[in-house]
Amino acid sequence: FERLQAAMRGEVILPNHPEYDAARCVYNGMIDKRPAVVARCVDVADVMSAVTFARDHDLLIAVRGGGHSVAGNGTCDDGLVIDLSRMNSIHVDPARRTARVEGGATWGDVDHATQPFELAVPAGIISTTGVGGLTLGGGFGYLSRKYGLTLDNLVAADLVLADGSFVTTSETERPDLFWAIRGGGG
């Protein structure tokens, strides 16, 4: 774990860390998993390092954006939790009517950033829900009847793959991967 911390700008939290219990918790209090390590990433390089470390050490990975998954998918027992909560910046392009959102942002963050431009995303109804999980899970909210699911409005995604590499995917860049992250047609 010392190698992981040396490779990251963010914090590596082990079970003996004073913040471990808070770092391992998710929104659903019935989920009580104990990961071997929580990697609080601050940038893509940290995510790449965490994925590579987990692969090299055969650790299960759970990715936590907002930590709101009812099923507790943002944590795991004995594995590595990639906590994206500190990666929550949002850049709104009012001319293109788009927003570039990091994986740790919540829908409350998105609403705060888009409302001054009179923009909105057909997202969920709970502001503390993470953008990544809700989007990749489909995303149904108040505006969905008129504007489709959140996922229908995704135009591109930056991803860290299982080999630790970074890629961008869209309808024109790696379209098969874009199709897959949007549900693979199912």
Side-chain angles (χ1 to χ4, degrees):
F1 296 117
E2 291 170 0
R3 283 190 346 181
L4 177 59
Q5 182 61 76
M8 288 183 50
R9 289 179 49 215
E11 194 172 14
V12 172
I13 299 175
L14 299 170
N16 62 352
H17 193 285
E19 292 181 35
Y20 176 76
D21 282 329
R24 72 181 180 84
C25 287
V26 291
Y27 183 79
N28 182 350
M30 293 177 21
I31 305 297
D32 187 26
K33 295 187 179 180
R34 299 184 176 277
V37 60
V38 176
R40 283 190 178 155
C41 300
V42 298
D43 55 27
V44 173
D46 280 359
V47 176
M48 294 169 73
S49 294
V51 169
T52 300
F53 182 86
R55 186 195 66 237
D56 290 350
H57 294 87
D58 198 29
L59 291 171
L60 177 67
I61 293 175
V63 179
R64 179 183 309 140
H68 215 276
S69 167
V70 173
N73 294 329
T75 190
C76 60
D77 281 321
D78 304 318
L80 186 147
V81 172
I82 297 176
D83 182 345
L84 303 178
S85 62
R86 297 197 176 161
M87 296 176 60
N88 60 0
S89 73
I90 300 162
H91 173 77
V92 177
D93 184 339
R96 289 192 174 136
R97 301 175 55 82
T98 60
R100 185 174 186 85
V101 181
E102 285 190 312
T106 65
W107 285 109
D109 297 330
V110 173
D111 289 342
H112 176 79
T114 57
Q115 286 175 358
F117 301 101
E118 298 180 359
L119 298 172
V121 178
I125 59 173
I126 299 172
S127 64
T128 56
T129 302
V131 168
L134 185 93
T135 301
L136 296 179
F140 185 84
Y142 295 122
L143 301 174
S144 292
R145 289 180 189 239
K146 185 168 183 174
Y147 298 105
L149 299 175
T150 309
L151 189 57
D152 297 330
N153 292 275
L154 182 68
V155 296
D158 293 337
L159 304 170
V160 175
L161 302 179
D163 66 359
S165 64
F166 174 83
V167 299
T168 298
T169 182
S170 68
E171 288 185 0
T172 58
E173 245 181 302
R174 295 181 176 80
D176 288 349
L177 181 56
F178 193 61
W179 173 82
I181 67 167
R182 295 178 70 224

